[in-house]
Amino acid sequence: MRPSKAIFLIITTGILAAYYLLIGLYLNKVGYSNQESLFYIEKAQIIFNGMGDKLRIMGLTSPILPFYGSALFSFINHDLAPVIASAIGTAVLFYIMASAMVRRNKDNFYLYLIIAIFVLHPGIIYIACSGKSVYMVLIFFFLFFLNMLKYYSSNTTFHVSIASICFVLLIFSDYKMVWLAIFFIPLVFSIAINSLNLSEKESVFRVFLSFNNSSLRRKLINKTFSIYAIIFLLPLASVFVYKMLNLTHADDFNYFIDSPYATWNIITDNLEYNITQTVSKYDISDMSILISLRVLIFCPLIVIAVYLFRHNTYHVLTLLTPFGLIEFLRIKYEKVHLTNEYYLLFLVLALLCLIYRARFVKEQRTLKLGIVVVVAVQIYLGYVFLNKSSIKEEKDFVSAALQRNTDRVEEESYELADYIKQMPKGTRILADDAVAYAIVGYVNDITKFTLPYQIDYLSAVEAPEKYRGYLLIANNVNPMLGYTQLTEDYIEGIHEKKNLYLHRIYVTDNWTLYKIVNEFYQKF
């Protein structure tokens, strides 16, 4: 890469980061937020300002890499840290992809194409300005497949090792990506078949010859296992070690994916499922099998990508593995819709194919014209997909960006938090941040709360008559009721205790804030 190009990319990356950040700040001002950002904000406040044993929060909050990517910017501003992280992270994604393009293709058309997509595509703008951590998933997804393609070209295990490391980072950015390993089995088998020293060129006949010869069969099995082990042994071992840490510190092998204290997905998936159940019209387009068709509509550029690699069997198999992943995820997690993140994987993959193969096409004029038309359609469809999304947070993003009108996520929590902010310093509120993390995050003063990570939380719950402060209760209509002990049933139980009275201070549909009063503390 020439120095002039390098400087141009650095300047463009900086401008993109500023562009995303301005949009993100604007959206934050008009009231846009999401569950993931609020969860990270609350956990970061615990780490930097909380009092108590924070080891479990620091080590087991999941996904851990996006959490620390957001927490890194908490020194600037707690509330804006996720937005700053997503803006800078998406700009870094652009720089990585643009650098790869410039190294392999001197035609500036393709560089300007990437710039146009990062500036105009609604899906990219969404991940950059919403404060979500999708940018990190896309970065490691791109690097993983980039190194796999490098391995096909060079046949050196160095690139496989780098791909393996990228896959580890991908899993710790989104644990669902671990299932991608299953769909690489046919690909690894194809690579092993093609690596055998046989005169026959056709893959089908190579398989036939290999299975009918004991020596070749043994070589095939050994090669398949060794390649698969090099790629996926480190990621799977990393997951096992991390699960053992969860077992050691939380007494639960799957704490990081099953506990609402560790991950925002538990509550979000539950809320989304409740919303979906109330919708009378079922979205048939989000059914399994039709998901792949939705991908082709969302990202028609992937069709061109597959065409460019049509003569390379394992390149095509590589491009097909994410299709298997999303179909599997739709079946395994049938209660929730696939988010915009999983559709954007194919946009990143399509651009990677252009980076690698576009320069070898002789009819460049025809290719460029086709790409321009497809990208223009794709940008429009990106808007349609967000605007018509079954996921409320994605639809709210469009409303906030274009109409300056959005229902703030956890509006009740925001209003209650505003009330708590006005309470005097030194106020103590017993709350369960498994469900109340939005309230805690909005308050932006972690010292006002007694939370489950603290030693005195359990004693306060068991003996509230000794706790001088307030009690935050989830009402029976609260959709997150099943994830907390602090409910109206709990209130009925403690009402039987002597010398304990509860006064309602603030009431919403989903929450009630009580003042705890006993014979030793009557003033309120």
Side-chain angles (χ1 to χ4, degrees):
M1 191 192 317
R2 295 198 304 270
S4 57
K5 280 277 181 76
I7 294 172
F8 174 76
L9 286 183
I10 292 172
I11 293 173
T12 305
T13 301
I15 293 173
L16 269 179
Y19 166 68
Y20 295 145
L21 189 56
L22 287 174
I23 297 176
L25 294 175
Y26 162 76
L27 292 172
N28 185 268
K29 186 176 181 180
V30 299
Y32 177 79
S33 57
N34 57 74
Q35 298 285 353
E36 180 180 358
S37 297
L38 293 172
F39 185 83
Y40 291 155
I41 288 170
E42 190 256 350
K43 297 304 178 187
Q45 288 182 28
I46 290 176
I47 289 179
F48 294 114
N49 301 317
M51 300 294 292
D53 184 7
K54 298 176 279 190
L55 183 62
R56 186 182 296 184
I57 304 292
M58 295 174 67
L60 303 184
T61 299
S62 177
I64 193 166
L65 293 183
F67 168 55
Y68 277 105
S70 173
L72 181 66
F73 297 97
S74 295
F75 294 104
I76 300 174
N77 186 297
H78 276 301
D79 294 339
L80 298 177
V83 175
I84 298 172
S86 64
I88 294 176
T90 307
V92 170
L93 172 64
F94 161 78
Y95 181 81
I96 293 171
M97 296 181 71
S99 298
M101 176 65 80
V102 168
R103 290 193 193 96
R104 290 167 178 80
N105 198 325
K106 295 181 180 180
D107 192 336
N108 288 332
F109 168 82
Y110 297 101
L111 175 59
Y112 297 143
L113 175 73
I114 294 177
I115 294 174
I117 289 174
F118 272 79
V119 171
L120 300 175
H121 196 289
I124 297 293
I125 295 173
Y126 170 67
I127 67 167
C129 308
S130 63
K132 296 181 76 68
S133 61
V134 181
Y135 70 92
M136 193 170 288
V137 176
L138 297 183
I139 286 174
F140 296 126
F141 181 84
F142 176 82
L143 291 175
F144 172 68
F145 278 89
L146 174 65
N147 282 281
M148 288 302 297
L149 293 183
K150 285 182 178 179
Y151 169 70
Y152 301 153
S153 303
S154 63
N155 201 29
T156 56
T157 54
F158 169 77
H159 296 301
V160 178
S161 301
I162 298 299
S164 180
I165 294 172
C166 292
F167 193 64
V168 172
L169 298 175
L170 178 61
I171 291 172
F172 285 98
S173 299
D174 181 357
Y175 183 72
K176 291 179 181 178
M177 288 294 174
V178 73
W179 301 111
L180 190 61
I182 296 174
F183 300 95
F184 263 84
I185 294 175
L187 173 61
V188 170
F189 182 76
S190 177
I191 294 172
I193 283 290
N194 283 277
S195 68
L196 294 176
N197 188 19
L198 298 174
S199 58
E200 181 59 58
K201 299 300 181 184
E202 290 293 331
S203 297
V204 175
F205 294 112
R206 292 172 73 91
V207 173
F208 179 79
L209 290 174
S210 300
F211 275 94
N212 284 277
N213 183 290
S214 59
S215 178
L216 289 175
R217 184 167 60 247
R218 187 166 54 253
K219 285 183 179 179
L220 177 61
I221 293 172
N222 290 340
K223 278 181 174 287
T224 302
F225 177 78
S226 61
I227 295 172
Y228 196 84
I230 292 173
I231 300 174
F232 296 111
L233 185 60
L234 177 61
L236 296 178
S238 300
V239 169
F240 177 76
V241 170
Y242 191 63
K243 287 195 170 193
M244 290 303 298
L245 286 174
N246 279 258
L247 184 63
T248 302
H249 294 283
D251 298 322
D252 185 353
F253 209 56
N254 292 320
Y255 173 83
F256 71 108
I257 54 175
D258 287 345
S259 172
Y261 296 107
T263 179
W264 57 273
N265 287 301
I266 302 296
I267 298 298
T268 303
D269 289 351
N270 180 60
L271 290 173
E272 185 186 325
Y273 178 66
N274 289 336
I275 292 171
T276 302
Q277 291 294 92
T278 61
V279 177
S280 58
K281 184 179 179 181
Y282 186 71
D283 186 9
I284 192 171
S285 63
D286 208 26
M287 291 176 62
S288 182
I289 305 303
L290 296 181
I291 290 293
S292 294
L293 181 59
R294 280 174 62 89
V295 166
L296 296 179
I297 297 172
F298 177 83
C299 183
L301 196 61
I302 195 68
V303 178
I304 296 178
V306 173
Y307 176 78
L308 293 176
F309 282 112
R310 63 192 182 279
H311 298 305
N312 303 89
T313 303
Y314 43 85
H315 286 77
V316 173
L317 286 174
T318 303
L319 299 181
L320 293 179
T321 51
F323 284 96
L325 173 68
I326 60 169
E327 294 290 355
F328 175 83
L329 292 179
R330 189 65 188 98
I331 295 171
K332 181 170 176 60
Y333 305 98
E334 60 180 350
K335 292 184 178 181
V336 294
H337 294 281
L338 288 179
T339 61
N340 191 62
E341 165 191 339
Y342 297 100
Y343 294 103
L344 288 174
L345 295 177
F346 294 90
L347 174 59
V348 169
L349 197 58
L351 291 176
L352 175 59
C353 293
L354 291 181
I355 290 171
Y356 250 82
R357 293 294 299 179
R359 69 185 188 275
F360 297 115
V361 177
K362 293 181 180 179
E363 295 294 331
Q364 283 289 318
R365 195 167 188 174
T366 305
L367 176 64
K368 289 177 182 178
L369 180 61
I371 289 174
V372 168
V373 172
V374 168
V375 168
V377 171
Q378 191 165 297
I379 289 173
Y380 171 72
L381 290 174
Y383 163 75
V384 172
F385 266 64
L386 276 181
N387 194 39
K388 302 295 182 182
S389 174
S390 302
I391 299 171
K392 188 176 183 299
E393 288 181 356
E394 296 178 358
K395 293 181 70 173
D396 286 348
F397 181 85
V398 177
S399 298
L402 300 182
Q403 303 168 16
R404 301 183 181 182
N405 177 35
T406 183
D407 296 327
R408 184 188 295 272
V409 170
E410 301 281 356
E411 182 66 34
E412 287 185 19
S413 300
Y414 182 77
E415 293 173 357
L416 177 53
D418 192 53
Y419 176 82
I420 294 173
K421 284 181 181 179
Q422 310 306 319
M423 298 174 76
K425 195 170 183 179
T427 297
R428 299 174 64 197
I429 302 172
L430 185 64
D432 187 353
D433 63 344
V435 294
Y437 59 84
I439 297 172
V440 179
Y442 280 136
V443 170
N444 202 16
D445 184 0
I446 201 73
T447 59
K448 287 185 175 181
F449 294 91
T450 301
L451 299 173
Y453 79 94
Q454 296 172 302
I455 297 175
D456 54 349
Y457 174 82
L458 283 179
S459 60
V461 170
E462 292 171 359
E465 70 275 7
K466 298 179 181 179
Y467 184 78
R468 295 177 59 178
Y470 297 81
L471 181 61
L472 183 60
I473 293 296
N475 298 338
N476 285 337
V477 296
N478 194 311
M480 300 178 284
L481 188 68
Y483 295 98
T484 179
Q485 181 184 354
L486 302 183
T487 64
E488 291 184 10
D489 290 339
Y490 169 76
I491 292 295
E492 292 177 6
I494 64 174
H495 261 310
E496 300 174 1
K497 294 181 179 291
K498 295 179 180 181
N499 304 323
L500 178 65
Y501 305 93
L502 297 175
H503 293 274
R504 290 187 179 90
I505 302 297
Y506 193 97
V507 181
T508 69
D509 290 341
N510 293 317
W511 303 99
T512 301
L513 182 64
Y514 289 93
K515 171 78 174 192
I516 300 175
V517 183
N518 56 46
E519 64 178 353
F520 301 107
Y521 189 67
Q522 294 291 336
K523 185 178 179 181
F524 65 94

